[in-house]
Amino acid sequence: MVRMNFAIERLRQLPAMLVGVLFALVLAIIWGSIAATLIRDHERTFIDARQDLRNMQHTMSTKVLNGFSAALSRAAGVEAWLTLASRTTVPPPLGDIVDVVKTMDATALQRPDIRLVGVDGEANSLTGIQDPYVDVSDREWFQVAMTLAPGQFHVGKAIVARDTGHELIPIALRAHDNVYGIALVVTSIDLDELRESVFGLLESGSTDAGIVRMDGTVLFDSRRLPGYAGSRFPDFIFKDISKGDQSIAFLEHTSVFRKLPRLSAATAFVRIPLVVYTSLLLDELEARWWTSARETLALGGVATVIALALSAWIFVLLRRNEWDAARISEVLAQTAALSRAKSDFMGRMSHELRTPLNAILGFSEMMIDPRFASAAIRRGDYARDIHHSGRHLLAMIDQILEVSKIGSAGTPLAATRIVLADMLRDCAKGVECAAKEAQVRIDIEVEPGAEYLDADPALLRQMMLGLLSNAVKFNRPDGRVAIHAARTRNGIDISVADTGKGIPDEIRPHVFEPFGFGDSKIACEDSRGLCLGLAIVKMLVERHGGTIAIASGTSGTIATLSFPEERVPAADSVEKAA
C-alpha cells in the first residue's frame, strides 16, 4: 500500500517534473547559444582590433622609416661632401655645400633643416633660417653624439628648437675629420608634420602611437602626456621583438605610467635603432564588445521570459485537473474532520450528560423506594448528590449556550473604565476557597501604566475566572499563582502563571479548540467536562480585539491576555475621571 501511494504521488509530480525538464532544456539551449555568441563576438572584437592595429602599424612604420631614412641620407650626403672636399688639393668654400643641399631629394616629410655643428657646439643652418647660428652645446643629443665614432649617428629625444620654436626629433651624424672643423651634421624630423601625416591615422582617442629608442627612451608620443616624452621605460617591453623587414609583433601588457592593460603592435628597424608602436586600451575593446553583448543578453532575457511564460502556461494546463481534485479532496477531508468532531462531541455529551442523570435517577429512586424509608438519615446526602449532579448539568448547558452566544457575536460589548487592581483582587477571591483547598497561594501585581482598562467587566471577570480556575486546578500542592498586569508598546498584557506540571507539547496546539475539535482525547485528558474554558476565554478576548497566548513547560504554565492600545485609556481622560 505504501509503495502504491508512493507511485501515485510520483505520477502526480510527473507533469511538474516534465515541465521543469522542458524549461531547463530550453534555458540550456537559449543561454548556451548566447554564451557561444558572446565568446565568438569577443574573439572577433580582438581579432578585428589586431587587424586594425596591423594596418595602422604597417602604414605608420613605412612612413616613419621613409622619413628617417631620407633624413639620414641627406645628413650622410652632406657628411660625404665634407670628407671628399677636405681631401682635395684646394678645398672648395663651405658655402658651396648649400647648392649640394638644394639638389637633394626631400621626400616623405617636408624638407628638413640641416645644420653643421662645430666642436664648440655652434650650429650653422644651411636652409635659410633667420638666425643661422645657435649654441647647442647643452643639448643632450650633442653631448651623446660627440662621443660617437665617425660615421655613427644618434637620434635624440623630442626638443623645441630655440630659433623656430618647432618641436623636433634631432638626428646627429658624427662627421669624419675635415678641414672645415665640422663635428656633427644634424638634421631633424618636425613632429607637427609627423603627427599630421602619420598619426592622423589613429582611429580613436584611446589609440596611442609613438617612437622609442632601443634603450627604452620615449622620443615621441601622440598623446602628449606631460613628462612622457624623454622618459625611459623601466622595463622596455619592445626590446625583444623581431627586427628586419618591418615585421610586426603584438604584445598584451600593462602601460608603464597609468598601469592600464593595453594591446600594442610594434615594429623595430634594422638600420635605425628605433621602435614604432601603436597601442590601444583593452578596456575600450571590452567596452566595444560589451555594447553588443548587452543587446545579446537582452534578447536572452526576453527569450527566457517567453520560455518561462510558456512553461507556466503548460504547467497550469497539466495541473488544472489535479488542482480541482486536490480541492475536492481537501473539502472531503474537512467534511470528514467535522464529522469526527461531531461524533466526538456527541460521545462526550452522551457521557457527561448520562453520568449526572444516572446519579439523579438512582438517588431519587432510592428516596422513593419504601425499602429505604428507614434510612431517612441518608436522604440529606442523596439530596446533596442530586443537587451537585444538577448543578453539573446546568454548568455544561451554560457552557454550550455561552459558546453559541459568543460565536454569534450578537450581544454588544458593555465596555467601561475598569480599575484592574480591584478587578483582579475580586477575581482572586472568587477562587479563594479552591485555592485554600489545593494549598495554592495567589499573588497580584499591577505595574504603573496598567492601572486602567476599557473592557466589559462581566466578560473580563469571566476570562480571569477561567484562567484562575485552571491555574489552581492544575497546580501542585504549596504552589503559586501569579497575576501580573503590565503596560506594553501595543497595549496591556494580563498574565496568569502557575507552578504546575505544564501542558504536554502534543496537547498544547488543541487547548483553544471548542468541544475538543482535532483530538478530544488529547485536549481533555486532564480535565472533566466539555473542555470549553480556554475556548471561551479566546473568544472573549478576541471580541475585545486582543489575543491569548499560552507558554508552558515543566515549571508551569503562563496564560497571557493581550489587549490592544485602543483599550488603554489616555492619561488625561483618567485624570479627569479621578
Side-chain angles (χ1 to χ4, degrees):
M1 185 65 182
V2 175
R3 292 182 178 178
M4 183 178 296
N5 292 336
F6 179 77
I8 293 174
E9 186 63 26
R10 284 294 185 184
L11 289 176
R12 286 184 176 180
Q13 296 175 358
L14 186 59
M17 294 173 60
L18 290 176
V19 173
V21 170
L22 177 62
F23 180 65
L25 180 60
V26 172
L27 281 186
I29 294 173
I30 292 174
W31 289 104
S33 302
I34 289 176
T37 301
L38 293 177
I39 293 173
R40 184 172 61 252
D41 291 347
H42 192 270
E43 293 176 351
R44 174 55 57 189
T45 299
F46 278 77
I47 292 173
D48 292 344
R50 283 175 177 265
Q51 187 60 43
D52 293 341
L53 282 179
R54 182 183 297 276
N55 295 336
M56 287 190 293
Q57 180 68 16
H58 178 72
T59 303
M60 290 172 58
S61 60
T62 300
K63 289 190 176 185
V64 170
L65 179 62
N66 291 339
F68 274 85
S69 298
L72 283 174
S73 297
R74 287 188 290 276
V78 171
E79 196 277 334
W81 186 90
L82 293 173
T83 302
L84 293 176
S86 297
R87 294 175 183 175
T88 60
T89 304
V90 180
L94 186 60
D96 293 350
I97 199 172
V98 175
D99 296 331
V100 176
V101 172
K102 290 181 179 179
T103 61
M104 292 182 179
D105 181 23
T107 59
L109 301 175
Q110 184 180 5
R111 180 165 56 90
D113 178 28
I114 297 179
R115 294 179 182 270
L116 302 180
V117 182
V119 295
D120 58 354
E122 185 177 272
N124 180 17
S125 175
L126 301 179
T127 54
I129 302 299
Q130 293 180 356
D131 187 8
Y133 298 101
V134 178
D135 184 11
V136 295
S137 60
D138 60 337
R139 294 289 196 182
E140 175 266 347
W141 59 265
F142 172 80
Q143 297 170 4
V144 175
M146 289 299 293
T147 64
L148 299 178
Q152 295 182 340
F153 66 92
H154 170 71
V155 181
K157 63 183 181 181
I159 62 172
V160 177
R162 290 170 177 167
D163 48 6
T164 64
H166 291 180
E167 189 177 5
L168 307 172
I169 293 180
I171 304 173
L173 176 63
R174 187 71 166 90
H176 291 79
D177 293 336
N178 55 78
V179 297
Y180 304 104
I182 303 301
L184 300 174
V185 179
V186 182
T187 185
S188 61
I189 300 296
D190 192 309
L191 291 184
D192 291 332
E193 296 176 357
L194 185 65
R195 287 190 181 94
E196 181 179 353
S197 61
V198 176
F199 298 109
L201 299 171
L202 302 181
E203 292 186 345
S204 67
S206 64
T207 307
D208 175 31
I211 302 173
V212 186
R213 281 202 308 243
M214 293 306 297
D215 62 356
T217 300
V218 179
L219 302 181
F220 168 74
D221 181 77
S222 62
R223 293 171 295 177
R224 296 183 176 180
L225 296 176
Y228 194 60
S231 61
R232 185 186 296 269
F233 286 121
D235 184 15
F236 187 39
I237 59 175
F238 302 127
K239 63 183 178 181
D240 296 327
I241 65 176
S242 60
K243 305 176 182 63
D245 197 24
Q246 300 184 33
S247 59
I248 299 175
F250 287 94
L251 305 93
E252 290 189 14
H253 62 95
T254 301
S255 60
V256 175
F257 293 96
R258 292 193 292 172
K259 304 302 180 183
L260 299 176
R262 303 188 72 91
L263 174 63
S264 297
T267 302
F269 303 113
V270 175
R271 292 177 53 200
I272 310 172
L274 298 177
V275 174
V276 176
Y277 69 89
T278 54
S279 177
L280 56 82
L281 286 172
L282 291 180
D283 290 345
E284 182 182 287
L285 289 182
E286 295 290 348
R288 191 185 306 170
W289 166 77
W290 181 242
T291 300
S292 61
R294 281 199 298 265
E295 299 177 359
T296 304
L297 292 173
L299 291 176
V302 172
T304 300
V305 172
I306 294 174
L308 180 61
L310 289 176
S311 300
W313 180 66
I314 294 173
F315 178 77
V316 170
L317 290 180
L318 292 176
R319 295 296 299 271
R320 178 174 295 172
N321 291 335
E322 183 177 343
W323 289 343
D324 292 340
R327 285 196 294 269
I328 294 174
S329 299
E330 183 179 356
V331 172
L332 291 176
Q334 292 177 353
T335 304
L338 290 175
S339 178
R340 286 195 301 271
K342 183 185 71 172
S343 299
D344 292 342
F345 173 67
M346 294 304 295
R348 181 167 293 277
M349 282 289 294
S350 175
H351 171 74
E352 295 296 336
L353 291 175
R354 284 177 178 274
T355 299
L357 282 175
N358 287 334
I360 291 172
L361 293 175
F363 287 121
S364 61
E365 288 175 356
M366 292 177 65
M367 295 175 66
I368 297 172
D369 194 336
R371 292 176 296 174
F372 296 95
S374 59
I377 194 172
R378 298 291 303 277
R379 291 186 180 183
D381 295 335
Y382 296 157
R384 279 191 295 271
D385 291 338
I386 292 172
H387 178 75
H388 176 74
S389 299
R391 291 294 298 271
H392 182 64
L393 282 174
L394 180 60
M396 286 189 296
I397 294 173
D398 287 341
Q399 284 186 339
I400 296 173
L401 294 176
E402 185 67 26
V403 171
S404 176
K405 182 175 66 174
I406 297 173
S408 64
T411 305
L413 292 178
T416 60
R417 186 68 42 79
I418 299 175
V419 180
L420 275 183
D422 296 341
M423 171 64 75
L424 298 180
R425 281 194 295 268
D426 187 52
C427 293
K429 289 180 180 180
V431 295
E432 186 176 2
C433 294
K436 289 182 178 180
E437 183 178 351
Q439 300 179 5
V440 174
R441 187 178 83 254
I442 300 178
D443 297 329
I444 301 174
E445 180 184 4
V446 178
E447 291 187 0
E451 295 91 347
Y452 301 95
L453 181 67
D454 290 341
D456 190 312
L459 299 185
L460 180 60
R461 180 187 300 274
Q462 187 174 355
M463 287 185 273
M464 293 305 303
L465 288 176
L467 295 180
L468 290 173
S469 298
N470 285 341
V472 172
K473 183 190 301 182
F474 298 109
N475 215 320
R476 58 178 174 79
D478 297 327
R480 176 175 176 266
V481 174
I483 307 173
H484 181 261
R487 185 73 164 88
T488 66
R489 292 185 303 173
N490 300 320
I492 288 180
D493 286 356
I494 303 175
S495 62
V496 177
D498 63 56
T499 55
K501 64 180 182 179
I503 303 174
D505 294 340
E506 65 273 14
I507 296 178
R508 201 175 305 155
H510 306 281
V511 294
F512 297 118
E513 297 178 0
F515 309 118
F517 282 7
D519 192 342
S520 60
K521 292 182 180 179
I522 294 178
C524 301
E525 68 175 1
D526 286 338
S527 64
R528 299 177 60 188
L530 298 179
C531 306
L532 298 179
L534 290 177
I536 292 175
V537 173
K538 181 174 182 294
M539 293 178 183
L540 293 178
V541 74
E542 287 176 351
R543 287 197 63 186
H544 286 79
T547 60
I548 181 172
I550 297 290
S552 184
T554 57
S555 60
T557 301
I558 301 176
T560 303
L561 300 176
S562 297
F563 292 90
E565 183 68 28
E566 55 265 24
R567 293 293 172 185
V568 181
D572 55 351
S573 64
V574 173
E575 291 176 358
K576 291 179 181 179

